[in-house]
Amino acid sequence: MAAGSGANLVPIVAAIIGLGVGAQVLADRFQVPSVLFLIFAGIIIGPEGLRIVTPEAFGGALSAIVGLSVAIIVFEGAFHLTTDKLREAPSATLKLVTIGAIIALVGTAVVVRFALGVGWDVAMLVGSLLVATGPTVITPILEVVPARDRVEIALETEGVVNDVTAAILAVVTFEVVVLEDPTVNEVVADFAQRLGIGVLAGLVVAGIVIYFLRHVDLSPANAPQNARLITLAGALVAFGSANTLAAEAGIAAVATAGIVLGNADLPYEEDIAAFKGDITLLVLSFVFIALAALLEFENLLALGWEGIVVVLAVALLVRPLGVLISTTGDRYTLNERVFMSVVGPRGIIPASVATLFAVQLQNQGLDQTANVLVGTVFLVILATVVFEGGFARHIAEYLDVIPMRVIIVGGGKVGRSLAERLEDRGENVVIIERDQEMVELARGEDFTVHHGDGTDTEVLRSAGGDNAKIVVAATGDDDANLLVAQLSNSKFDAETVIARVNNPDNVDAFEDLGVRTIDASSATAWAIDNVIERPALSNWMTELGRSGDVQEIEVTADDLVGKTISELDDELPNGVLIALVGRGGESEVPEEDFTLQHGDHITFLGRKEAVWEAIDRCHPPA
């Protein structure tokens, strides 16, 4: 039976989807990005492994299948780029997709030109393809590495936008490789034309989809299903129509349609988002395994040590340079910038487009150029996905960029002051505020702000309530604070829920309902009393979180069980004191011979750095 016939293709597709689902399950189980398992699965069943999947297995259908799959993946990523998200990291996002992209293009081209000894046209072609990081590889990593919101938003936005840039730029550069003496004006005009066609097609299709969902009377019983199907069909139509008019303009079309529809406040938006997420998981699995199955180690090995130089330079020099320059002057910590530098794996767009170009180059007798293109692109993809994707969580833990998520409802002075202190300690703080003026004020101070009513369960959930460890209700309305606290306790799994009480007469009502409260009047009185009676301590506490810190943690280090406070004190750094030890709901200032037990709660007081070293000793990261 001929390769690629229907009888052979059905079990191959079924096997790929089955492996993809298995990879997703393993990824969730081991907290490792799914792309790592997907690539290994593809290699195992490909020509270098069991030879179940070969380039001939799909006949001529692979490029079309990959193209439509990529369209769905890009559309999914773009759909989640809401204006609220984009405004949380505006300057860094803009710089990453402009300055960062230019550095990636030029830097990679220079490395390829001198390391591999190819012409500038081929070097620029490889460089243009490797501009793309893409949601196909970034999203699975961020699912298991819950970094700060502003870090995730910048990386996700960079992935979606640079996928579009890389796809169109690569097509234009490819024409430079195969055509004779193209002029700069022709190249620029070609790029602008493809981008323009894609954006226009995306806008038109998005407008049609919005009209249908808002104004056409969908069957009430099947309205959510119809809304999902119309949206999916719109994405595919945008891709197909734009690609028909200009090659690779489809990526720009689906990205444009996704961004417009994601910000259009569509009916049944949650159903649409959930449906697209499931579809994306399937096509992501299929595309990664199928393309990984096309890897030929012969092409990789032919690059020799020069190929290793290219990989190291792209990952350890070009990428960090682009990120560090792009994030200069923003609210990112040095560790966050380093993390973003080492999370730049390449994915589907470079792989699929490089494969397509290689076939065309071979048809024109440019076998050497095709081998260099495919070998270099796939080597960078393989190395960056395996090492950056596989070790992303370990890198994040080492750099300490997985913060505790804190939701503060209320963006007034109290909420913003608390957010500032917590962010200075490295926590991931999201403020929920319904007043637009307050939202703009908080965003102007570089806080992550979710616009909405914090007493609404869905608003809390969309702001990250499912993953929040602490929820603070800090509005000036006691009724709102009580409702937020009750919702957080009943609907979400937050470890700590605290409510601000503005009227002292309401304290008993809050506490009767099991809500931990901070009475604004009493807190003010305590603060004034501290200034009068304990001015030095009051001043130090005011600066808490900047130079000094007080933290309570649970003893989880097994080797500390049975040790005395004196023995522990000898192991702690200078500048930290053991203030209290809690056991069985009671706390005391411990004597030197107090023996520690697993589960004891220790309160450390001292210099910020020393306190956190002590915490790592007694409560090491899981």
Side-chain angles (χ1 to χ4, degrees):
M1 188 174 291
S5 68
N8 284 344
L9 194 56
V10 171
I12 289 174
V13 172
I16 289 175
I17 292 176
L19 285 171
V21 173
Q24 299 292 344
V25 173
L26 287 173
D28 290 338
R29 171 65 180 81
F30 294 104
Q31 290 293 282
V32 174
S34 58
V35 291
L36 190 63
F37 293 107
L38 294 173
I39 279 189
F40 284 137
I43 293 174
I44 290 171
I45 65 174
E48 302 294 341
L50 301 176
R51 299 189 61 81
I52 296 174
V53 178
T54 63
E56 296 77 22
F58 296 95
L62 184 60
S63 61
I65 295 173
V66 170
L68 291 173
S69 300
V70 169
I72 293 173
I73 294 166
V74 172
F75 182 81
E76 160 79 6
F79 190 84
H80 289 96
L81 288 182
T82 61
T83 53
D84 283 341
K85 279 190 173 183
L86 292 173
R87 291 165 71 180
E88 289 168 11
S91 57
T93 302
L94 181 61
K95 292 176 186 174
L96 277 172
V97 301
T98 52
I99 297 172
I102 292 171
I103 291 173
L105 168 64
V106 176
T108 303
V110 170
V111 172
V112 171
R113 167 72 176 86
F114 291 103
L116 300 180
V118 298
W120 279 111
D121 52 354
V122 177
M124 289 296 289
L125 178 58
V126 174
S128 62
L129 282 171
L130 294 180
V131 164
T133 50
T136 56
V137 282
I138 292 297
T139 301
I141 290 175
L142 295 179
E143 285 177 354
V144 298
V145 184
R148 192 184 299 275
D149 283 41
R150 60 179 177 238
V151 173
E152 292 189 356
I153 292 164
L155 290 174
E156 288 172 345
T157 306
E158 178 198 22
V160 172
V161 175
N162 281 357
D163 259 6
V164 176
T165 304
I168 296 177
L169 188 60
V171 172
V172 175
T173 309
F174 180 71
E175 293 190 1
V176 175
V177 174
V178 298
L179 297 179
E180 294 183 3
D181 302 323
T183 66
V184 174
N185 288 340
E186 289 174 340
V187 171
V188 173
D190 193 23
F191 178 84
Q193 180 186 27
R194 293 175 196 273
L195 180 61
I197 289 173
V199 171
L200 181 60
L203 290 173
V204 170
V205 171
I208 294 172
V209 170
I210 292 171
Y211 176 81
F212 267 91
L213 294 181
R214 288 183 178 174
H215 302 292
V216 175
D217 186 19
L218 303 176
S219 171
N222 298 316
Q225 180 185 47
N226 290 335
R228 295 193 296 264
L229 294 176
I230 289 172
T231 306
L232 177 62
L236 297 179
V237 168
F239 177 79
S241 59
N243 259 8
T244 301
L245 296 173
E248 300 307 319
I251 299 297
V254 291
T256 302
I259 292 173
V260 172
L261 293 174
N263 287 279
D265 192 21
L266 298 174
Y268 315 106
E269 186 169 338
E270 292 181 12
D271 295 299
I272 293 170
F275 174 69
K276 288 192 301 81
D278 293 338
I279 293 293
T280 299
L281 283 178
L282 286 177
V283 297
L284 174 66
S285 302
F286 181 86
V287 172
F288 252 112
I289 292 177
L291 290 181
L294 303 182
L295 272 175
E296 295 184 8
F297 291 163
E298 180 182 351
N299 288 334
L300 304 184
L301 295 175
L303 298 175
W305 65 267
E306 294 90 346
I308 303 299
V309 170
V310 171
V311 171
L312 293 176
V314 168
L316 302 179
L317 181 61
V318 177
R319 170 69 180 177
L321 181 63
V323 171
L324 293 175
I325 291 176
S326 299
T327 54
T328 300
D330 275 281
R331 201 182 173 93
Y332 296 94
T333 65
L334 177 60
N335 282 3
E336 288 172 347
R337 296 168 72 193
V338 173
F339 174 73
M340 292 169 69
S341 297
V342 297
V343 178
R346 274 54 173 186
I348 291 298
I349 293 295
S352 57
V353 177
T355 302
L356 175 65
F357 288 169
V359 173
Q360 296 182 32
L361 289 170
Q362 288 170 344
N363 290 338
Q364 297 186 29
L366 301 173
D367 289 354
Q368 180 62 29
T369 301
N371 292 338
V372 169
L373 175 64
V374 171
T376 306
V377 169
F378 272 89
L379 184 61
V380 171
I381 292 172
L382 186 63
T384 55
V385 168
V386 169
F387 290 101
E388 296 181 1
F391 293 99
R393 189 173 184 89
H394 301 286
I395 295 170
E397 289 174 349
Y398 177 78
L399 294 172
D400 194 23
V401 295
I402 304 180
M404 173 175 63
R405 178 178 286 272
V406 181
I407 293 180
I408 299 175
V409 180
K413 290 182 179 180
V414 173
R416 297 200 309 277
S417 296
L418 177 60
E420 181 182 4
R421 287 175 171 273
L422 292 172
E423 286 211 337
D424 285 342
R425 297 182 201 176
E427 306 303 351
N428 184 17
V429 181
V430 178
I431 296 174
I432 299 177
E433 175 57 57
R434 63 182 178 182
D435 182 83
Q436 187 61 48
E437 186 176 344
M438 283 294 182
V439 170
E440 297 301 330
L441 180 61
R443 282 178 176 158
E445 296 176 10
D446 287 332
F447 293 116
T448 299
V449 187
H450 192 91
H451 185 208
D453 185 350
T455 63
D456 186 324
T457 304
E458 292 308 316
V459 171
L460 279 170
R461 179 170 285 111
S462 63
D466 290 322
N467 300 316
K469 289 190 176 181
I470 296 175
V471 177
V472 180
T475 75
D477 183 341
D478 283 354
D479 290 337
N481 290 342
L482 180 59
L483 183 54
V484 169
Q486 289 178 308
L487 285 174
S488 300
N489 280 324
S490 61
K491 301 292 185 180
F492 303 102
D493 194 27
E495 294 179 4
T496 304
V497 179
I498 303 171
R500 168 189 174 188
V501 181
N502 302 279
N503 185 346
D505 295 337
N506 293 333
V507 171
D508 291 340
F510 274 65
E511 293 182 345
D512 287 344
L513 293 170
V515 177
R516 298 175 64 178
T517 63
I518 299 295
D519 174 6
S521 300
S522 298
T524 302
W526 295 333
I528 293 173
D529 182 49
N530 281 332
V531 172
I532 295 171
E533 297 294 334
R534 294 164 286 276
L537 179 61
S538 177
N539 290 336
W540 186 81
M541 291 292 289
T542 300
E543 292 299 312
L544 202 62
R546 294 181 173 90
S547 58
D549 206 351
V550 177
Q551 293 287 339
E552 178 184 328
I553 55 93
E554 179 182 353
V555 175
T556 58
D558 294 332
D559 63 330
L560 289 183
V561 175
K563 285 194 174 184
T564 65
I565 288 294
S566 177
E567 291 172 325
L568 172 60
D569 191 51
D570 290 339
E571 297 184 32
L572 299 181
N574 293 328
V576 61
L577 299 174
I578 301 171
L580 294 172
V581 176
R583 179 183 297 169
E586 297 184 359
S587 299
E588 62 178 286
V589 178
E591 301 288 343
E592 289 186 350
D593 59 353
F594 185 96
T595 303
L596 293 169
Q597 295 181 6
H598 200 281
D600 283 346
H601 284 254
I602 300 179
T603 300
F604 292 114
L605 179 150
R607 288 187 298 104
K608 185 176 180 180
E609 296 80 6
V611 167
W612 284 98
E613 286 184 41
I615 290 174
D616 288 339
R617 175 65 185 91
C618 299
H619 186 79

